[in-house]
Amino acid sequence: MRLDIYTHLFPPGGYMDRVIELVPDKGTVKRWVTLPTLWDVEARMRMIDGFGDYQQVLANTMPPLEQVATPEVAAELARMANDGFAELCAKRPDHFPAFIATLPMNNPEAAVKEIDRAVGMGARGVQIFSNIAGKPLDLPEFLPIFDRMAHHDLPIWLHPARGQAFADYKTEAKSKYEIWWTFGWPYETSAAMARIVFSGLFDRLPNLKIIAHHMGAMVPFFEGRVGPGQDQLGTRTSDEDYGALLASLKKRPVDYFRMFYADTALFGSASGTRCGLDFFGVERSLFASDCPFDPEGGSMFIRETIKILDELQVTDAERHMMFETNARRLLRL
């Protein structure tokens, strides 16, 4: 079985219509409505059937609720999304053996309650974004959410969030050429990972499990910077005592970065996949396609990612770990 642990779908049950009403940029809606496998469950299942022994874990799609809704409305929408996914997975476990819960991250108290409720309905983890409407994840207000996930011993899926309004240069008002997505999203994920590492969160919660989307983003390629480079933390800074922070950590920074899990959603990059496996190891790497956001409407990234994993110079047992057994262990399926 090939178990795809990161695919996006609008939860059934009216959620998509509610979000469309709230999204200020209707340009994003244009893409949604022309991508049936993003919202049509029957179309999605037909696509899945074309890949044989293949199943999908479901996650909500963009936008993060905290970007479009008030704390009260975000909590309502999270409940709607999780109810829709729970019902779908219960009805079609042959296609969708698990779902990832949506959280109202601008309402941390409600988010903790929703974690418990969603896990009780079968959620095998939660999805959070690399920033919460511009706030970093290591703020104290979000700590109860990480505490709760460590209590449940279920993973957090870390998804990047950055838009066109985040300019590439201080002299400009917006990012051009979709640089905010191509290079901005990997930076977002990497920055969030660093904030988690240096906040001491892994020391506080050593069993915390976080899946960094897109094969850990920039981190594997920049192993030298997060390794020997950050072994020198503080030597480039005069206004904060990062040397004391470094001394307070129980491990080297690079060893904390290796505590993340990574998925293979790299849009068909064989070299990127090998780089990520070199850094995280087979034991912390899981098959994911990021379906359905490809030029063919959903099937291309699945097909290309499977091909890359099939051609990797690994043992059959290691390939099986990435395709299925790592996910079953991590998600406790």
Side-chain angles (χ1 to χ4, degrees):
M1 177 61 66
R2 296 179 174 95
L3 185 54
D4 191 337
I5 63 117
Y6 217 149
T7 72
H8 296 286
L9 182 75
F10 269 114
Y15 175 89
M16 181 178 174
D17 292 336
R18 287 290 308 279
V19 170
I20 287 176
E21 292 173 3
L22 294 170
V23 171
D25 179 10
K26 302 306 179 186
T28 58
V29 177
K30 179 181 176 182
R31 187 184 188 197
W32 296 344
V33 298
T34 57
L35 189 56
T37 52
L38 182 60
W39 45 267
D40 184 333
V41 173
E42 295 300 322
R44 176 64 73 90
M45 290 195 298
R46 286 194 296 273
M47 182 183 66
I48 289 172
D49 289 339
F51 286 94
D53 291 333
Y54 169 79
Q55 295 178 331
Q56 293 186 341
V57 176
L58 296 175
N60 205 343
T61 189
M62 298 287 273
L65 293 181
E66 55 269 14
Q67 290 186 1
V68 299
T70 65
E72 294 74 20
V73 173
E76 175 193 344
L77 287 170
R79 289 191 294 269
M80 179 184 293
N82 296 330
D83 286 346
F85 275 152
E87 182 178 350
L88 176 58
C89 290
K91 189 181 298 182
R92 298 310 304 257
D94 51 332
H95 290 81
F96 311 114
F99 75 98
I100 308 161
T102 301
L103 296 181
M105 291 294 289
N106 55 346
N107 191 337
E109 183 178 352
V112 171
K113 293 179 180 177
E114 188 61 19
I115 288 171
D116 292 342
R117 195 184 78 90
V119 169
M121 294 191 300
R124 295 291 84 197
V126 302
Q127 175 176 248
I128 65 174
F129 291 85
S130 54
N131 69 81
I132 310 304
K135 293 182 177 181
L137 290 175
D138 60 340
L139 291 181
E141 64 194 86
F142 303 123
L143 182 57
I145 294 164
F146 291 101
D147 280 339
R148 204 66 192 151
M149 291 309 298
H151 166 78
H152 284 293
D153 193 25
L154 288 170
I156 295 169
W157 277 251
L158 177 60
H159 193 290
R162 188 179 180 126
Q164 187 180 24
F166 201 120
D168 308 312
Y169 297 93
K170 289 183 178 181
T171 57
E172 297 180 339
K174 65 178 184 179
S175 174
K176 291 187 175 183
Y177 316 120
E178 299 181 358
I179 292 171
W180 60 268
W181 178 87
T182 309
F183 299 111
W185 275 23
Y187 174 82
E188 272 285 329
T189 303
S190 305
M193 293 167 71
R195 293 294 289 253
I196 289 169
V197 165
F198 290 111
S199 69
L201 197 57
F202 281 130
D203 283 344
R204 175 189 172 96
L205 303 169
N207 71 323
L208 184 66
K209 299 174 175 64
I210 302 176
I211 303 170
H213 204 12
H214 307 307
M215 207 74 207
M218 298 164 61
V219 171
F221 187 79
F222 291 107
E223 179 181 5
R225 286 183 174 267
V226 300
Q230 290 198 309
D231 287 340
Q232 305 170 68
L233 183 67
T235 60
R236 295 168 286 269
T237 305
S238 60
D239 60 343
E240 295 193 50
D241 189 1
Y242 288 148
L245 169 62
L246 186 64
S248 73
L249 297 175
K250 297 178 180 179
K251 301 179 180 182
R252 292 179 65 204
V254 68
D255 292 331
Y256 288 105
F257 280 99
R258 294 188 200 279
M259 292 178 69
F260 288 89
Y261 292 79
D263 67 50
T264 63
L266 285 176
F267 315 131
S269 172
S271 59
T273 303
R274 292 192 297 269
C275 181
L277 286 177
D278 283 346
F279 185 82
F280 291 105
V282 169
E283 298 82 4
R284 288 181 175 264
S285 301
L286 299 96
F287 166 53
S289 68
D290 215 12
C291 167
F293 297 111
D294 62 53
E296 296 179 6
S299 60
M300 176 183 173
F301 288 163
I302 301 171
R303 182 181 68 248
E304 293 303 310
T305 306
I306 289 174
K307 178 182 177 183
I308 287 168
L309 295 185
D310 280 344
E311 294 177 353
L312 281 175
Q313 297 300 306
V314 297
T315 68
D316 288 343
E318 289 172 328
R319 200 178 339 270
H320 185 53
M321 288 169 65
M322 289 185 286
F323 270 130
E324 181 178 11
T325 55
N326 286 347
R328 294 200 180 279
R329 172 177 48 83
L330 191 63
L331 277 62
R332 307 208 328 264
L333 290 174

